[in-house]
Amino acid sequence: MKLNPHVTKLALFDIVNTPGVAADLSHINTPAKVTGHKGADQLGDALTGADIVIIPAGVPRKPGMTRDDLFNTNANIVKTLAEGAAKHSPKAFVCVIANPVNSTVPIVAEVFKKHNVFDPKRLFGVTTLDVVRASTFVTDIKGGDPARNKVTVVGGHSGVTILPLLSQTEHKFTQEELEALTKRIQFGGDEVVKAKDGLGSATLSMAQAGARFANALIKACKGDKTVVEPTYVKSDVVPGLEYFASNVELSEEGVGKIHPLGTLSQYEQKLLEAAIPELKSNIAKGVNFVKGN
Ligand code: NAD
Ligand code: LMR
């Protein structure tokens, strides 16, 4: 975000290390003024005046864990940060990276509802990395320029809830290719978790994907009417699922038109059917966490 010349202020919040990271980032010669805020009593200062709040705080996976296994630790972290945002920056766009995204987005929504400041157009789960990976993995098989290999990925952000709509690309795949690619896109995060061998999950590709999403929001706020990004938002694209990721037109208000799924192949229809119960339970878990606390 420090590289985006439209950013005027970049406030970093963490429970450790922010003074050092802020000093380091502040030397990059772009306009954003960087401030570092450490610990709960500085959360308000970090959030006050923010137009965009990006939440990547929380523990990452270790090999063998699912994203849902992070819920017990990260739900509380996200809830606390959402409470801060509801009080100090209630009109900001909130972009949630912390996992499990399928549940942490409903957590933020419920906290904002409790504070009477919820605007569904301003809350986003960041699923951009799934789309970034899909484009890379398709290019690995079909070649060409990854930037032109665009794949619509819908659903949620974990395992079988990640639904790449490969039938809507310009490529023809054999069933074997389809199944292998779909699995790779659904479990791309696990490749990194396994390779890091206990030292965390994707950080560099996530930084690129997170910045791509936030930069897209900034572009839309500057009046660009052509910005479409995948994101997990309050949606009625799939009946019965309150939140769902799909391509969304971004605008000054945040969520603009949510694109419908389009035509699904039989194989994709089956993937969707498999995703629905898991998404439903992930969403309920997030909602109930706030309602019960
Ligand atoms: P990390 O351990 O490198 O960094 C997490 C940071 O959160 C640490 O600096 C830690 O001090 C901070 N933190 C902990 N408690 C906090 C609190 N109460 N308030 C503020 N900050 C706090 O982990 P990471 O690799 O950056 O991953 C962070 C989260 O992002 C994880 O939940 C991970 O699963 C998720 N993630 C999501 C995606 C995605 O596509 N949405 C991709 C990558 C990672
Ligand atoms: C990812 O997709 O890389 C992230 O959600 C982190 C993870 O746990 O895999």
Side-chain angles (χ1 to χ4, degrees), residues 17-210:
N17 298 338
T18 29
V21 179
D24 189 356
L25 271 179
S26 73
H27 289 189
I28 297 173
N29 64 337
T30 54
K33 295 276 171 252
V34 184
T35 54
H37 308 265
K38 192 170 81 169
D41 57 337
Q42 295 186 13
L43 180 60
D45 286 345
L47 289 166
T48 301
D51 296 313
I52 301 184
V53 173
I54 304 174
I55 305 182
V59 289
R61 284 196 288 162
K62 288 191 188 317
M65 291 172 83
T66 65
R67 292 179 183 81
D68 187 53
D69 293 333
L70 303 172
F71 186 94
N72 286 346
T73 312
N74 290 353
N76 246 324
I77 294 175
V78 171
K79 179 169 166 273
T80 306
L81 297 173
E83 280 162 354
K87 278 187 210 142
H88 300 286
S89 50
K91 294 238 173 292
F93 293 137
V94 179
C95 307
V96 185
I97 292 173
N99 271 315
V101 168
N102 294 356
S103 306
T104 50
V105 168
I107 287 175
V108 175
E110 292 306 313
V111 169
F112 271 57
K113 283 182 200 169
K114 274 196 172 175
H115 287 78
N116 292 318
V117 292
F118 181 52
D119 177 355
K121 290 187 166 188
R122 294 180 171 266
L123 175 60
F124 308 88
V126 182
T127 56
T128 322
L129 184 51
D130 299 319
V131 171
V132 167
R133 281 185 181 131
S135 150
T136 303
F137 299 164
V138 166
T139 309
D140 283 351
I141 294 187
K142 296 292 182 190
D145 175 1
R148 291 176 62 92
N149 269 329
K150 291 196 165 63
V151 184
T152 298
V153 183
V154 301
H157 178 66
S158 72
V160 300
T161 71
I162 300 172
L163 308 178
L165 303 183
L166 294 163
S167 71
Q168 296 180 8
T169 67
E170 63 190 42
H171 300 292
K172 293 269 166 284
F173 299 98
T174 63
Q175 187 59 27
E176 199 181 334
E177 280 176 335
L178 264 186
E179 288 178 17
L181 252 182
T182 300
K183 188 148 191 244
R184 191 167 182 214
I185 295 164
Q186 291 184 320
F187 296 92
D190 297 58
E191 278 184 25
V192 183
V193 171
K194 193 165 169 235
K196 291 201 173 178
D197 197 18
L199 295 178
S201 57
T203 53
L204 301 174
S205 50
M206 184 60 235
Q208 187 267 351

